[in-house]
Amino acid sequence: MKKAKVLFSKDFAIAKVDDRLYGSFIEHLGRAVYGGIYQPDHPTADQDGFRQDVLALVKDLRVPIIRYPGGNFVSGYCWEDGVGPRELRPSRLDLAWRTMEPNWVGIDEFARWGKKAGSEVMMAVNLGTRGTQDALNVLEYCNHPGGSKYSDMRIAHGAKEPYHFKVWCLGNELDGSWQVGYKTMQEYGRIAAQTAKAMKMLDPNIELVAVGSSSASMATFPQWEAEVLDHCYHDVDYISLHQYYGRRNEDTPNFLAKTVEMEHFIKTVAATCDYIKAKKRSKKTMMLSFDEWNVWYHSNEADRKIMQDTPWQIAPPLLEDHYTFEDALLVGLMLISMLKHSDRVRMACLAQLVNVIAPIMTEQNGAAWVQPTYYPYLHVSNFGRGVALQPVLSCGKHDTRDFTDVPDVDSVAVFDEESRTLTVFAVNRDLHEATSFDIDLRDFPDYGLVEHVSLTCDNLQQRNSAAGQAVVPKKEPAGIIDGGVYQGRLANASWNTLRFSDQ
Ligand code: AHR
């Protein structure tokens, strides 16, 4: 059997993990909102029309923050269309996804849903077709107590108390030519700076996210970050990162090595922020918001067809990736990568949450069910709260088409002082061989294994469906502890969560 060993010590802390690292995203896109979170004629719908089967699965994930209402959608969104009496709300063409937006759900409904889900809302403003004044209007509507035009409008719509949304995204992917109202880096930097300044005048308690590159492969990356931050470094609190991976004309080992690239992306953005920090002689360190990440490629062809052949439908099935077991392994690896950089990556959003490239799926006339990717997210969100610890890891390495020296095993740990629990997350990338996995617990005397849960499957392409859950976690037999070292085993191609405690 192959061998891997890792040492975790409280002395090698990366950072106290911001819970908002486990955020997600709901966009007015496909069946995310209509037929996803909201479906008044569904048997589980509550008095507000929200599906309670979906809410239960979201609550199990303990999603701390949810980005809304887009995404590409926000760059042409008129938020006023989605507030007030439903019968007066207009339908609108959504150019981003070539659908019809009926505005049955808007800010007030989503705020109510977020409350039920136990999640904060991360609002995005339209800096595509709109600008500073509109950003101020929507902020006033949401966060100002009352006595002004838009705050009184909210009160008239039944929400006496302001929502106090804390995190606001200054637009979305405005570096991309597909974006309605896309901009050059100079144009965006200026509008981001002036909008940020004005929004903080209105509500100094908010935190602002400037738009970073839409992916590491954008031709303008990382000059976009440098130029944008040169304009707005003092006015914003985060710069965003977006990255989706797909397996296209490549084998699984190359697909599972994509997090090597992801970590490089994070380090490059952090370095670019630090360059501007130095240039400005600033004391402030810019934090990163990885507010769109996931696997996304299965549905690309079907989406193109829907948007081309049958546009302007309400809630067509767009971006409904049907995920495989190997996708879940990459999602687990992506979570490990973000935890390893949690000193800079403070917020992140798995994009998205329901039906649209999502861990949770719904049947129109049936139940909600979960994809294989649900499980790594569930485990890390529930057990990854505390202080992230640097792995001192030794294991075999392998080369793939695009990457060299890819570690066979990737791992990180989180220590929760309060519950005195050490949780180790690990993926064995080796598709064929299991590995021994020794965890040096010298800094955790008297700790024993609470549970080792894994996600494994003989078929890398196995999917779940409404009819059956083929990919589900299972409990692994406990290893032994000898001389302060836990002697465990990671199955071939596996996602693993090992929890230790002295309780
Ligand atoms: O999450 C799906 C889409 O991906 C978002 O609307 C956009 O921001 C990104 O390109």
Side-chain angles (χ1 to χ4, degrees):
M1 194 163 35
K2 282 184 151 179
K3 285 187 178 17
K5 63 176 185 185
V6 67
L7 163 73
F8 290 111
S9 161
K10 288 178 217 160
D11 291 334
F12 309 147
I14 300 167
K16 162 89 182 71
V17 179
D18 188 324
D19 290 350
R20 297 176 301 179
L21 197 68
Y22 309 128
S24 190
F25 181 23
I26 293 276
E27 177 167 2
H28 281 251
L29 194 188
R31 299 192 307 122
V33 174
Y34 309 116
I37 64 168
Y38 177 80
Q39 193 184 336
D41 63 356
H42 192 268
T44 70
D46 65 13
Q47 70 281 12
D48 292 317
F50 298 129
R51 282 183 67 148
Q52 295 187 74
D53 55 348
V54 173
L55 263 173
L57 291 169
V58 173
K59 279 195 212 156
D60 287 347
L61 288 171
R62 292 178 66 205
V63 189
I65 191 161
I66 303 184
R67 190 161 174 255
Y68 176 83
N72 295 343
F73 172 81
V74 81
S75 295
Y77 185 47
C78 298
W79 64 272
E80 312 88 318
D81 295 342
V83 297
R86 272 215 181 91
E87 61 282 8
L88 299 180
R89 298 184 192 178
S91 289
R92 283 276 201 156
L93 297 177
D94 163 35
L95 303 184
W97 302 106
R98 305 195 80 215
T99 54
M100 187 61 72
E101 172 53 53
N103 284 305
W104 297 325
V105 169
I107 289 174
D108 297 306
E109 290 80 19
F110 193 75
R112 208 168 307 136
W113 183 81
K115 213 172 204 161
K116 291 183 192 210
S119 311
E120 253 185 71
V121 176
M122 177 191 284
M123 273 297 285
V125 301
N126 174 356
L127 290 187
T129 59
R130 293 183 145 190
T132 304
Q133 183 58 56
D134 179 65
L136 289 171
N137 295 350
V138 66
L139 176 61
E140 182 184 318
Y141 184 90
C142 294
N143 283 11
H144 196 68
S148 63
K149 174 171 171 175
Y150 291 104
S151 56
D152 284 349
M153 192 189 276
R154 182 200 68 239
I155 293 168
H157 294 157
K160 192 166 175 305
E161 295 306 320
Y163 298 130
H164 291 307
F165 295 149
K166 187 154 183 81
V167 183
W168 292 74
C169 302
L170 295 163
N172 177 73
E173 293 191 353
L174 287 152
D175 60 331
S177 56
W178 60 88
Q179 201 71 207
V180 179
Y182 73 99
K183 300 192 166 26
T184 65
M185 48 188 99
Q186 291 78 14
E187 287 166 345
Y188 177 70
R190 274 285 298 137
I191 196 172
Q194 81 184 37
T195 306
K197 271 202 178 72
M199 287 176 80
K200 285 201 174 174
M201 283 177 193
L202 199 162
D203 183 352
N205 296 317
I206 56 174
E207 293 182 349
L208 294 173
V209 186
V211 166
S213 293
S214 298
S215 78
S217 56
M218 295 297 288
T220 45
F221 173 74
Q223 189 53 30
W224 173 277
E225 280 73 4
E227 183 75 33
V228 165
L229 288 175
D230 212 6
H231 282 92
C232 65
Y233 196 87
H234 297 303
D235 308 307
V236 304
D237 306 282
Y238 306 86
I239 182 104
S240 74
L241 293 81
H242 289 183
Q243 189 69 56
Y244 296 97
Y245 291 120
R247 185 159 81 79
R248 297 186 177 89
N249 309 318
E250 64 193 299
D251 60 11
T252 302
N254 201 62
F255 178 63
L256 295 182
K258 302 265 180 189
T259 48
V260 173
E261 185 185 293
M262 183 181 185
E263 293 195 32
H264 190 240
F265 182 29
I266 294 171
K267 284 187 219 159
T268 307
V269 175
T272 308
C273 293
D274 293 348
Y275 159 67
I276 300 297
K277 175 182 181 180
K279 188 174 170 205
K280 293 191 177 291
R281 316 287 191 258
S282 172
K283 286 205 164 75
K284 168 170 134 187
T285 300
M286 186 63 57
M287 294 297 163
L288 315 187
S289 171
F290 214 126
D291 47 41
E292 286 191 34
W293 67 271
N294 204 347
V295 173
W296 174 15
Y297 73 110
H298 298 284
S299 63
N300 292 169
E301 264 321 298
D303 296 338
R304 250 189 291 279
K305 212 169 147 35
I306 293 175
M307 288 194 278
Q308 223 171 61
D309 300 348
T310 51
W312 318 125
Q313 300 178 67
I314 295 177
L318 285 172
L319 279 67
E320 299 209 0
D321 272 40
H322 200 173
Y323 289 117
T324 62
F325 167 64
E326 70 179 11
D327 296 332
L329 291 180
L330 187 60
V331 163
L333 285 161
M334 291 176 92
L335 285 160
I336 288 175
S337 296
M338 286 188 286
L339 275 169
K340 286 202 287 189
H341 296 279
S342 52
D343 54 334
R344 294 304 285 270
V345 182
R346 288 305 169 89
M347 300 191 291
C349 302
L350 172 67
Q352 299 192 8
L353 189 56
V354 183
N355 285 333
V356 170
I357 41 172
I360 300 170
M361 301 298 288
T362 66
E363 298 299 297
Q364 192 72 13
N365 300 310
W369 54 279
V370 302
Q371 305 229 45
T373 53
Y374 182 87
Y375 294 109
Y377 182 38
L378 176 80
H379 297 152
V380 179
S381 178
N382 275 282
F383 302 123
R385 308 209 181 201
V387 174
L389 303 180
Q390 196 72 57
V392 182
L393 176 72
S394 54
C395 65
K397 291 185 174 160
H398 59 277
D399 293 345
T400 71
R401 189 191 67 187
D402 301 331
F403 305 97
T404 44
D405 286 341
V406 180
D408 297 342
V409 170
D410 210 345
S411 181
V412 72
V414 176
F415 176 58
D416 178 29
E417 182 83 63
E418 210 179 292
S419 65
R420 303 184 58 77
T421 305
L422 174 75
T423 302
V424 177
F425 302 107
V427 169
N428 181 7
R429 284 190 174 101
D430 193 307
L431 302 180
H432 307 291
E433 260 192 76
T435 178
S436 64
F437 190 51
D438 288 357
I439 307 173
D440 190 326
L441 295 172
R442 76 181 79 162
D443 209 16
F444 299 92
D446 307 324
Y447 273 56
L449 185 79
V450 177
E451 189 178 51
H452 175 180
V453 171
S454 75
L455 197 64
T456 60
C457 189
D458 291 340
N459 176 6
L460 290 167
Q461 307 312 322
Q462 183 65 57
R463 297 174 154 100
N464 289 344
S465 73
Q469 291 280 298
V471 186
V472 285
K474 67 169 194 290
K475 227 175 139 161
E476 293 285 346
I480 54 161
I481 296 184
D482 188 13
V485 176
Y486 176 79
Q487 298 174 2
R489 174 186 177 275
L490 306 178
N492 59 306
S494 60
W495 159 257
N496 301 271
T497 305
L498 297 100
R499 289 188 295 131
F500 298 90
S501 169
D502 63 354
Q503 301 297 297

